[in-house]
Amino acid sequence: ADCAVAENCLLVNAWESEVGRLMGRPDVSQRGNFEMLRNEEHDEVPFTFTRDWVFPSHGWLTFDYSSIRRPTGSEVAMAEASEVTKFLRMKSFSSAAKLRALRAISVHMYLSAQHFRNLLMCFPEGLDRQDAFCALHTRVVDADNMLGPLVLYGDAIFRDEDRAQLLRRLGHLHLLNPLHPDHIPYTCHLAVYEERRVVELLVELSAQEPGGRVREIEDGVAVVPASWADKGVPCDTIVLVCFYEATNVNMSLRHQLARKWCVGNFGMAGPLAAPTAA
């Protein structure tokens, strides 16, 4: 059974990867290879999956799968999501049972970020809530709100260590909010493709938005050389711990960068919503 699950994941990975290439979607993979697989290990030894990789006959194969499938923009959030939330709030169900139920119906659901927040609150903080986020984040129709203070950066929803784990499991580019990247803490290793791409977006913003700066979190000084805007961000062992700020936001530019850097529908995203009760 385990082999069948792994083989199915590899098959879906190949399909999603090729469709993404043919449709010209951004490469949001961990290593710049268009693959959905990330954090691959065989018997706790890391490796990089390639199409000529030979499936092992024994041992433990582990990986995370981060899909690029998202709502196209024509879908709307379903009112029935509120009923699902009410059902899951029943104390008699374990977190594992709730998660199994959500996974079973997730392909039939479209959620607003507010619905998603309410569903996440049905799970205890930590791993259970992380698992729920991983299972349902691709079904949210307003990614801009989900990737802001309403959900991902809401301290009532996730702690810093939870966000770090979600970035590791799903990917930095999958959880990047190109419309509102301001004052979010970024820790980016420039030798890692996806993390370097995040810095590239911030550098491009800083070069084109008035007052745009990439600053170090510890002391607030500018940490990105001006030459990076012209020569590109180097593939180096540097680890940047930074945030972005601008005095004059150019939303038209940010929408353009969203199409260039990210998957999902950011084109029709509205203002950030405030948390409300279910």
Side-chain angles (χ1 to χ4, degrees):
D2 287 349
C3 287
V5 171
E7 289 174 346
N8 284 336
C9 287
L10 297 183
L11 179 62
V12 176
N13 169 73
W15 178 78
E16 279 205 76
S17 176
E18 291 307 312
V19 169
R21 290 175 190 265
L22 289 172
M23 296 186 67
R25 290 176 177 168
D27 182 2
V28 294
S29 64
Q30 185 176 29
R31 300 182 177 90
N33 54 11
F34 282 92
E35 305 293 347
M36 311 299 119
L37 304 185
R38 49 187 297 112
N39 306 318
E40 308 98 309
E41 292 186 358
H42 180 238
D43 284 341
E44 300 184 349
V45 177
F47 71 97
T48 298
F49 172 79
T50 61
R51 298 301 171 83
D52 57 358
W53 178 72
V54 178
F55 196 89
S57 59
H58 63 277
W60 289 97
L61 174 64
T62 61
F63 56 83
D64 291 301
Y65 189 99
S66 195
S67 173
I68 61 173
R69 300 187 70 184
R70 298 290 190 278
T72 63
S74 61
E75 298 88 352
V76 295
M78 302 167 62
E80 292 82 356
S82 295
E83 296 304 316
V84 175
T85 301
K86 292 177 183 177
F87 184 76
L88 292 182
R89 282 176 175 165
M90 298 174 63
K91 301 296 185 182
S92 56
F93 298 113
S94 67
S95 292
K98 292 177 182 179
L99 192 58
R100 285 196 299 270
L102 281 179
R103 283 174 171 156
I105 65 174
S106 62
V107 295
H108 305 292
M109 295 177 65
Y110 288 107
L111 306 170
S112 69
Q114 183 63 62
H115 286 148
F116 190 32
R117 174 191 170 93
N118 295 336
L119 280 172
L120 291 175
M121 293 297 285
C122 296
F123 294 84
E125 65 178 7
L127 183 59
D128 289 336
R129 195 172 291 177
Q130 292 175 34
D131 287 344
F133 186 98
C134 292
L136 288 174
H137 74 284
T138 61
R139 312 303 296 177
V140 177
V141 299
D142 50 334
D144 180 29
N145 287 333
M146 176 184 68
L147 299 178
L150 183 64
V151 181
L152 182 60
Y153 289 96
D155 290 337
I157 308 297
F158 292 118
R159 301 163 298 183
D160 289 342
E161 51 265 40
D162 294 316
R163 284 186 280 270
Q165 283 300 308
L166 290 173
L167 287 168
R168 184 190 67 83
R169 295 172 65 178
L170 296 176
H172 289 249
L173 292 170
H174 283 266
L175 300 183
L176 176 64
N177 189 338
L179 302 189
H180 296 280
D182 316 80
H183 300 287
I184 290 174
Y186 300 97
T187 300
C188 299
H189 196 306
L190 300 189
V192 180
Y193 167 81
E194 61 176 347
E195 299 179 34
R196 185 170 66 253
R197 287 286 286 170
V198 171
V199 177
E200 288 174 355
L201 179 138
L202 300 180
V203 168
E204 187 160 343
L205 273 177
S206 67
Q208 298 190 53
E209 284 191 330
R213 296 286 187 277
V214 181
R215 296 187 180 277
E216 190 173 9
I217 286 179
E218 186 171 334
D219 55 20
V221 301
V223 296
V224 173
S227 61
W228 285 11
D230 299 319
K231 298 180 180 179
V233 178
C235 179
D236 205 338
T237 56
I238 298 172
V239 177
L240 289 183
V241 182
C242 60
F243 67 94
Y244 177 78
E245 64 178 5
T247 57
N248 194 351
V249 171
N250 184 338
M251 288 306 296
S252 176
L253 170 65
R254 294 185 177 196
H255 278 91
Q256 293 176 27
L257 296 181
R259 291 188 289 271
K260 179 180 177 181
W261 255 267
C262 303
V263 293
N265 177 44
F266 289 93
M268 299 301 292
L272 291 174
T276 60

